[in-house]
């Protein structure tokens, strides 16, 4: 791939051209008819507008303190944390990641359902299993595994904003948990490992939404709990055990995991989409075409794996269509289509096997190895597809970058594209290891970082100067346009995940995942956030509000 790094001047000229165009709001931000992109300041009076204009977008210094720090103009409150009751039966799961707010009524941006992914557990906190004890792996009990399976998957909670404060409606009939044991339909004609129903979802990292207002939750590191099926040179299969050891108690094949899962938030009904391939799905970002067919972008977050897109052949289908993988060197989408590929026919028995072993199929077709594709967002102004490449330490890429894909003629179903590096991580740009992305109403790009807990703040490692993981924004308009500005710093060992704006653009939902992850002794945890009485760190979803959020969402009008 021709690596093109935009400098700030080029970026400004690129954005300047775009900023006179129409802002195409992300789905659901455009869903609320009480606000529009041309009137995103809503009811703000002249005085408030002037106040926002004067508010600087101040860079927060990097910090290693154990707290959630915010730049001037922002405040936060904890909405829900691990263990909170959502109704009489169920509690909020662990390690929250992707969040998504779906209003129940398009005319009311302050009342709706919040979906939250629960990616994985820290056994010491959740099941009491201490992985640091010798031979402990053999001694994880079935009860402990059951507790862990309960704490992954996702939560649906009804939330409302009252007098500026978001609250969970405990015991709302729509509140529910999806867990590692929830039965799921399979959207495919052939059984997978002889099953037509799968049990549970896990490793739910990021996700997306559909135009028909369901949730896509993506199964990423499923092999950590169910292991993986490996094939030798003679195509003989063997089982590589998981680190969590769930398969000791449940005989669920790894082939039932590593899919994009669709959840209907109103009913809780779940289905796995085989046509989108099986790998460590980070996220799934959908765009609807004029004829109602859909295009789904999804990346495989593993060193030197790939970027994919599914293009449906029928309106609204996540089954009928073709899965492609990116050759970013030549700007081509390569079809994983057994029927029309002799190399795939030679190596796999049918299309189902191609999809189950998508990584191998992609490599046979000549897909480009990427440095761990994470979140994918579509620029609401230019339509460009932005992909976080978090890092690839094996290849000496410690700080990652953000890749930009421009589809030929701006058509999402195009088979050719242009790839370039939009922004490189590193000291010069002030961020490292980009992960989640979100565009707001004004087209500002918000980025979270994910330096690993074991590497952060370690003397002699390249992450030292970045201190704790953070939330950054790249303003689109005004004198700060193109700068990477740190606006929040995470508690110790944590990463921010799942940024999602409320429909009126006045609140940012944000997950605080794995605070205190380096803890080895419950009496002496490495973080105490969110500073509960028990001093045990807890993953939680926070709401961030304040003048700066309002300013950013109205920036195209204020500057
Ligand atoms: Fe779960 Fe790739 O982050
Ligand atoms: Ca991630
Ligand atoms: Ca995102
Ligand atoms: Ca990550």
């Amino acid at each position: 791939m021709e690596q093109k790094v935009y400098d700030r001047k080029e970026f400004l000229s690129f954005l300047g051209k775009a900023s006179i165009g129409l802002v195409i709001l992300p789905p659901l931000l455009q869903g609320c008819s009480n606000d529009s992109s041309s009137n995103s300041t809503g009811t703000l009076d002249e005085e408030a507008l002037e106040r926002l204009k004067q508010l600087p977008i101040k860079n927060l210094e990097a910090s290693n303190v154990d707290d959630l720090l915010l730049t001037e103009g922002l405040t936060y409150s904890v909405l829900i944390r691990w263990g909170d009751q959502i109704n009489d039966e169920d509690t909020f799961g662990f390690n929250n990641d992707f969040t998504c707010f779906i209003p129940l009524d398009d005319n009311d941006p302050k009342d709706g359902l919040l979906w939250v992914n629960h990616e994985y557990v820290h056994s010491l906190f959740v099941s009491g299993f201490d992985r640091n004890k010798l031979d402990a792996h053999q001694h994880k009990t079935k009860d402990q595994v059951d507790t862990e399976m309960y704490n992954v998957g996702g939560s649906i909670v009804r939330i409302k904003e009252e007098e500026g404060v978001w609250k969970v409606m405990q015991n709302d009939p729509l509140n529910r948990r999806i867990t590692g044991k929830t039965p799921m339909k399979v959207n495919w004609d052939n059984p997978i490992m002889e099953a037509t129903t799968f049990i549970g979802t896990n490793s739910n990292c990021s996700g997306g939404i559909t135009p028909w207002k369901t949730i896509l939750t993506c199964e990423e590191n499923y092999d950590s709990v169910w292991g993986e099926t490996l094939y030798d040179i003679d195509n003989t299969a063997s089982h590589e055990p998981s680190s969590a050891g769930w398969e000791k108690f449940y005989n669920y094949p790894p082939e039932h995991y590593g899919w994009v899962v669709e959840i209907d938030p109103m009913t809780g009904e779940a289905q796995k989409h085989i046509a989108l391939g099986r790998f460590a799905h980070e996220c799934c970002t959908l765009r609807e075409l004029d004829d109602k067919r859909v295009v789904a972008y999804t990346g495989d977050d593993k060193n030197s794996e790939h970027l994919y897109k599914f293009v449906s052949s029928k309106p609204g289908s996540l089954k009928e269509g073709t899965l492609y993988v990116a050759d970013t060197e030549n700007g081509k989408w390569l079809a994983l289509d057994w029927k029309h590929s002799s190399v795939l026919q030679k190596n796999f028995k049918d299309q189902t096997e191609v999809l189950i072993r998508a990584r191998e199929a992609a490599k046979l077709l000549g897909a480009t190895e990427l440095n761990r594709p994470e979140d994918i967002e579509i620029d609401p102004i230019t339509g460009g597809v932005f992909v976080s490449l978090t890092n690839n330490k094996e290849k000496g890429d410690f700080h990652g970058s953000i890749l930009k894909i421009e589809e030929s003629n701006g058509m999402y179903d195009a088979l050719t594209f242009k790839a370039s590096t939009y922004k490189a991580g590193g000291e010069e740009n002030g961020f490292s290891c980009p992960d989640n992305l979100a565009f707001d109403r004004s087209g500002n790009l918000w980025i979270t970082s994910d330096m690993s807990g074991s590497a952060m703040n370690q003397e002699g490692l390249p992450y030292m100067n970045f201190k704790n993981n953070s939330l950054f924004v790249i303003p689109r308009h005004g004198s700060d346009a193109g700068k990477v500005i740190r606006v929040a710093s995470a508690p110790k060992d944590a990463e921010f995940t799942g940024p999602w704006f409320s429909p009126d653009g006045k609140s940012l939902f944000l997950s605080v995942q794995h605070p205190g992850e380096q803890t080895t002794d419950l009496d002496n945890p490495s973080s105490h956030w969110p500073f509960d009485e028990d001093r045990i760190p807890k993953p939680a979803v926070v709401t961030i509000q304040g003048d700066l959020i309002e300013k950013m969402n109205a920036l195209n009008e204020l500057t």
Side-chain angles (χ1 to χ4, degrees), residues 97-98 119 205-206 220 281-283 301 372-375 390 434-436 448 450 495-498 513:
D97 200 298
F98 178 65
E119 186 173 4
C205 190
S206 192
E220 192 190 27
H281 284 276
E282 172 75 19
C283 73
D301 182 6
R372 297 184 50 202
E374 294 246 30
D375 206 1
T390 196
D435 193 327
N436 292 122
T448 67
D450 178 18
E495 64 169 312
F496 291 128
T497 52
Q513 197 189 93

Coordinates of all heavy atoms in Angstrom, one line a residue, residues 97-98 119 205-206 220 281-283 301 372-375 390 434-436 448 450 495-498 513, ligand 2:
D97 N -17.9 -2.6 26.9 CA -17.3 -2.1 25.8 C -18.3 -1.3 24.9 O -18.8 -0.3 25.4 CB -16.6 -3.2 24.9 CG -15.5 -2.7 24.0 OD1 -15.8 -1.9 23.1 OD2 -14.3 -3.0 24.2
F98 N -18.6 -1.7 23.7 CA -19.5 -1.0 22.8 C -20.8 -0.6 23.6 O -21.4 -1.3 24.3 CB -19.9 -1.9 21.7 CG -20.9 -1.4 20.7 CD1 -20.6 -0.3 19.9 CD2 -22.1 -1.9 20.5 CE1 -21.5 0.3 19.0 CE2 -23.1 -1.4 19.6 CZ -22.7 -0.3 18.8
E119 N -17.3 -7.6 27.4 CA -16.4 -8.3 26.6 C -15.8 -9.6 27.2 O -15.8 -10.7 26.7 CB -15.3 -7.4 26.1 CG -14.3 -8.1 25.1 CD -13.3 -7.1 24.5 OE1 -13.3 -5.9 24.9 OE2 -12.6 -7.6 23.6
C205 N -16.9 -7.3 21.8 CA -16.0 -6.1 21.8 C -16.7 -4.9 21.4 O -17.4 -4.2 22.2 CB -14.7 -6.4 21.0 SG -13.5 -5.2 21.3
S206 N -16.6 -4.5 20.1 CA -17.3 -3.4 19.7 C -18.5 -3.9 18.9 O -18.9 -5.1 19.0 CB -16.4 -2.4 18.8 OG -17.1 -1.2 18.7
E220 N -15.1 -11.2 19.5 CA -13.7 -10.9 19.1 C -12.8 -12.1 19.6 O -12.7 -13.1 18.8 CB -13.2 -9.6 19.7 CG -11.8 -9.2 19.2 CD -11.2 -8.0 20.0 OE1 -11.5 -7.8 21.1 OE2 -10.4 -7.3 19.4
H281 N -13.9 -10.6 15.2 CA -14.6 -9.4 14.8 C -14.5 -8.3 15.9 O -14.9 -8.5 17.0 CB -16.1 -9.7 14.6 CG -16.4 -10.4 13.4 ND1 -16.6 -9.8 12.2 CD2 -16.6 -11.8 13.1 CE1 -16.9 -10.7 11.2 NE2 -16.9 -11.9 11.8
E282 N -13.9 -7.2 15.5 CA -13.9 -6.1 16.4 C -15.2 -5.3 16.4 O -15.8 -5.1 17.4 CB -12.8 -5.1 16.0 CG -12.8 -3.8 16.8 CD -12.3 -3.9 18.2 OE1 -11.6 -4.9 18.4 OE2 -12.5 -3.0 19.0
C283 N -15.7 -5.0 15.2 CA -16.9 -4.2 15.1 C -17.6 -4.6 13.8 O -17.1 -5.4 13.0 CB -16.6 -2.7 15.1 SG -15.8 -2.2 13.6
D301 N -9.3 -8.2 14.5 CA -8.3 -7.6 15.4 C -7.3 -8.7 15.9 O -7.4 -9.2 17.0 CB -8.9 -6.9 16.6 CG -7.9 -6.3 17.5 OD1 -6.7 -6.3 17.1 OD2 -8.2 -5.7 18.6
R372 N -3.8 -5.0 13.0 CA -4.9 -5.2 13.9 C -6.0 -4.2 13.7 O -6.2 -3.2 14.5 CB -4.4 -5.1 15.4 CG -3.4 -6.3 15.7 CD -3.0 -6.3 17.2 NE -4.2 -6.1 18.1 CZ -4.2 -5.7 19.3 NH1 -3.1 -5.3 19.9 NH2 -5.3 -5.6 20.0
P373 N -6.9 -4.4 12.7 CA -8.0 -3.5 12.5 C -9.0 -3.5 13.7 O -9.4 -4.6 14.2 CB -8.7 -4.1 11.3 CG -7.8 -5.0 10.7 CD -6.8 -5.5 11.8
E374 N -9.2 -2.3 14.3 CA -10.2 -2.2 15.4 C -11.4 -1.5 14.9 O -12.0 -2.0 13.9 CB -9.5 -1.5 16.6 CG -8.4 -2.3 17.2 CD -8.6 -2.7 18.6 OE1 -9.8 -3.0 19.0 OE2 -7.6 -2.8 19.4
D375 N -11.8 -0.4 15.5 CA -13.1 0.2 15.2 C -13.1 0.8 13.7 O -12.1 1.2 13.2 CB -13.4 1.3 16.2 CG -14.9 1.5 16.3 OD1 -15.7 0.8 15.6 OD2 -15.3 2.4 17.1
T390 N -4.6 -0.6 15.4 CA -4.1 -0.3 16.8 C -2.6 -0.4 17.0 O -2.0 0.5 17.6 CB -5.0 -1.0 17.8 OG1 -4.8 -0.4 19.1 CG2 -4.6 -2.5 17.9
P434 N -4.7 3.6 18.7 CA -6.1 4.0 18.5 C -7.0 2.7 18.5 O -6.6 1.7 18.0 CB -6.1 4.7 17.1 CG -4.9 4.1 16.4 CD -3.9 3.9 17.4
D435 N -8.2 2.9 19.1 CA -9.1 1.7 19.1 C -10.5 2.2 18.7 O -10.8 2.2 17.5 CB -9.1 1.1 20.5 CG -9.8 -0.2 20.6 OD1 -10.7 -0.4 19.8 OD2 -9.4 -1.1 21.4
N436 N -11.3 2.7 19.6 CA -12.7 3.1 19.2 C -12.7 4.5 18.5 O -11.9 5.3 18.9 CB -13.6 3.1 20.4 CG -13.9 1.7 20.9 OD1 -13.6 1.4 22.1 ND2 -14.3 0.8 20.0
T448 N -10.5 6.7 21.1 CA -10.0 6.2 22.3 C -8.7 5.5 22.1 O -8.5 4.9 21.0 CB -11.0 5.3 23.0 OG1 -11.1 4.1 22.3 CG2 -12.3 5.9 23.2
D450 N -5.9 2.4 23.3 CA -5.8 1.1 24.1 C -4.4 0.6 24.1 O -4.0 -0.4 23.4 CB -6.8 0.1 23.4 CG -6.7 -1.3 24.1 OD1 -6.2 -1.3 25.3 OD2 -7.1 -2.3 23.5
E495 N -9.1 1.3 29.9 CA -9.2 1.9 28.6 C -10.6 2.4 28.5 O -11.6 1.9 29.1 CB -8.9 1.0 27.4 CG -9.8 -0.2 27.3 CD -9.7 -1.0 26.0 OE1 -9.6 -0.4 24.9 OE2 -9.6 -2.2 26.1
F496 N -10.8 3.5 27.7 CA -12.1 4.0 27.4 C -12.6 3.2 26.2 O -11.8 3.0 25.2 CB -12.1 5.5 27.1 CG -11.9 6.4 28.2 CD1 -10.9 7.3 28.1 CD2 -12.6 6.3 29.4 CE1 -10.6 8.2 29.2 CE2 -12.4 7.2 30.5 CZ -11.4 8.1 30.4
T497 N -13.8 2.8 26.2 CA -14.4 2.1 25.0 C -15.8 2.6 24.7 O -16.4 3.3 25.5 CB -14.4 0.5 25.3 OG1 -15.1 0.3 26.5 CG2 -13.0 -0.1 25.3
G498 N -16.3 2.2 23.6 CA -17.7 2.4 23.3 C -18.3 3.8 23.3 O -19.4 4.0 23.8
Q513 N -13.4 0.5 30.8 CA -13.2 -0.9 30.8 C -11.9 -1.3 31.6 O -11.0 -0.6 31.5 CB -13.2 -1.5 29.4 CG -13.4 -3.0 29.4 CD -13.1 -3.7 28.0 OE1 -12.0 -4.1 27.8 NE2 -14.1 -3.7 27.2
Ligands
LIG2 CA1 -11.5 -2.6 20.9

